[in-house]
Amino acid sequence: MKKIRSGYIAIVGRPNVGKSTLLNRLIGEKISIVSRKAQTTRHRITGILTKDDAQFVFVDTPGFQTKFSNALNRAMNRGVTTTLNDVDVVLFVVEAGRFDAKDRAVMRLLPPDRPAILVVNKTDQLKDRSALLPFLASVAAEHDFAAVVPVSAAKGKQTDELLGEARKHLPNEGLMFPEDELTDKSERFLASEYIREKLFRLLGDELPYATTVEIEKFEVEGDLRRIFAAIVVDREGHKAIVIGKGGELLKRIASEARQDMERLFDGKVYLEVWVKVKSGWTDDERLLKSLGYE
């Protein structure tokens, strides 16, 4: 009989390499929100996968920010560096065929005393398949990686092989969490993230970065959850954009978020959403802490 091993595994990389998609694929549930825009993930998200022989506690980190320098981005970067010092294994995720200065900036953060696995994601999008092996070799030469695993998080390719490599480095014996637990995040937190994902998906390029979500009330009555949420924007002019003509955009944001919540919570959700202005929230350390940013 195999011993059960367990440990914490950080998923790190520059923005948009597919870290959250990888976490969701490994867990088998949508724990971390996903969009094509950078900065979608702002918090450390823990996803838990329990197998017969191992419990993997994944920590999905924000993409390390080199472009912006406001308080929000400093808080997110602190989250990345703190996580790297608290885990047993690191999955360093890069995009197949692309490795640049932003990737190297994250690679320099990898702690020398912890095993790091190079995860080359989006292999299904690589047009020239013959370029994959030379690319793997060139990136692997830049750091002493414990293993190199090419994957497609979107298609689920090679993810079992990745788990096998990660398991070799899990230090603990026995379970750290109940085996049916998927995340250490509360339903309240997940509800706010689902709304924020719709903002990133449905708004233009710039506005999502000036929005966040505050759950003002979360009530559970049997299988029904009543959720009251405020979308926080930075300027008065942003409010009308989020609401949309005749309130249509806000209705769509709420409707799509509610459907996701009902799937995850396995029950009915009553969701009420409105928009309010908190000027300068992205560069206000105290306000960021009150909104749950570390």
Side-chain angles (χ1 to χ4, degrees):
M1 184 179 172
K2 283 185 179 178
K3 286 183 178 177
I4 289 184
R5 301 174 78 163
S6 60
Y8 285 90
I9 304 163
I11 304 176
V12 301
R14 64 166 169 79
N16 268 358
V17 291
K19 298 181 296 298
S20 297
T21 302
L22 179 62
L23 173 67
N24 293 338
R25 173 65 69 178
L26 292 169
I27 301 301
E29 285 284 353
K30 186 174 168 182
I31 298 298
S32 193
I33 65 172
V34 178
S35 88
R36 290 198 174 98
K37 296 185 175 79
Q39 211 201 79
T40 307
T41 300
R42 288 179 179 166
H43 302 267
R44 284 177 287 174
I45 312 289
T46 302
I48 303 159
L49 173 66
T50 305
K51 298 271 197 180
D52 291 340
D53 61 348
Q55 185 172 75
F56 306 85
V57 185
F58 295 102
V59 187
D60 180 21
T61 60
F64 193 77
Q65 304 291 319
T66 56
K67 188 176 177 184
F68 305 104
S69 61
N70 63 20
L72 174 61
N73 284 284
R74 289 195 296 274
M76 293 195 303
N77 284 354
R78 279 197 303 272
V80 176
T81 51
T82 302
T83 297
L84 284 169
N85 292 317
D86 290 342
V87 298
D88 304 299
V89 190
V90 180
L91 304 184
F92 174 53
V93 186
V94 302
E95 186 177 335
R98 178 181 169 186
F99 188 77
D100 58 24
K102 292 177 182 176
D103 297 288
R104 287 188 176 90
V106 182
M107 192 168 66
R108 284 194 290 272
L109 301 174
L110 299 178
D113 58 342
R114 286 170 180 74
I117 297 171
L118 173 62
V119 183
V120 179
N121 190 24
K122 305 186 185 181
T123 54
D124 56 306
Q125 296 178 22
L126 199 62
K127 289 174 184 173
D128 181 5
R129 300 291 297 171
S130 66
L132 181 59
L133 285 177
F135 177 78
L136 296 178
S138 67
V139 179
E142 301 219 11
H143 184 84
D144 184 18
F145 290 105
V148 179
V149 185
V151 304
S152 167
K155 300 284 177 67
K157 291 180 180 176
Q158 293 272 107
T159 50
D160 285 341
E161 287 79 358
L162 178 58
L163 290 172
E165 290 295 338
R167 185 190 181 278
K168 295 175 185 177
H169 305 286
L170 300 181
N172 304 312
E173 290 186 11
L175 300 177
M176 296 189 295
F177 293 90
E179 56 186 272
D180 59 348
E181 202 160 310
L182 291 174
T183 181
D184 65 346
K185 293 296 185 183
S186 68
E187 289 188 353
R188 187 187 190 105
F189 172 83
L190 292 170
S192 71
E193 286 289 274
Y194 274 16
I195 297 167
R196 201 166 61 77
E197 178 189 58
K198 304 313 169 194
L199 295 172
F200 268 75
R201 290 194 166 191
L202 299 174
L203 292 172
D205 286 342
E206 297 300 326
L207 189 52
Y209 304 108
T211 63
T212 193
V213 177
E214 203 172 6
I215 303 296
E216 301 207 346
K217 197 188 291 184
F218 191 109
E219 301 171 337
V220 181
E221 301 170 12
D223 290 335
L224 172 68
R225 288 156 180 83
R226 295 182 186 275
I227 302 168
F228 300 84
I231 295 171
V232 178
V233 296
D234 193 47
R235 294 202 290 270
E236 191 66 40
H238 293 161
K239 195 170 177 178
I241 298 171
V242 175
I243 293 170
K245 189 177 180 181
E248 287 304 313
L249 184 56
L250 187 60
K251 284 178 193 170
R252 185 177 171 193
I253 289 165
S255 175
E256 292 188 12
R258 179 184 55 76
Q259 290 170 39
D260 278 356
M261 290 177 205
E262 288 184 338
R263 278 191 288 272
L264 182 66
F265 301 153
D266 196 22
K268 285 287 182 187
V269 170
Y270 170 83
L271 176 62
E272 196 170 307
V273 180
W274 61 95
V275 185
K276 69 180 182 182
V277 180
K278 285 191 177 180
S279 297
W281 73 267
T282 60
D283 213 13
D284 185 326
E285 300 273 4
R286 289 178 58 188
L287 193 49
L288 284 166
K289 283 184 179 175
S290 75
L291 291 168
Y293 294 93
E294 296 173 15

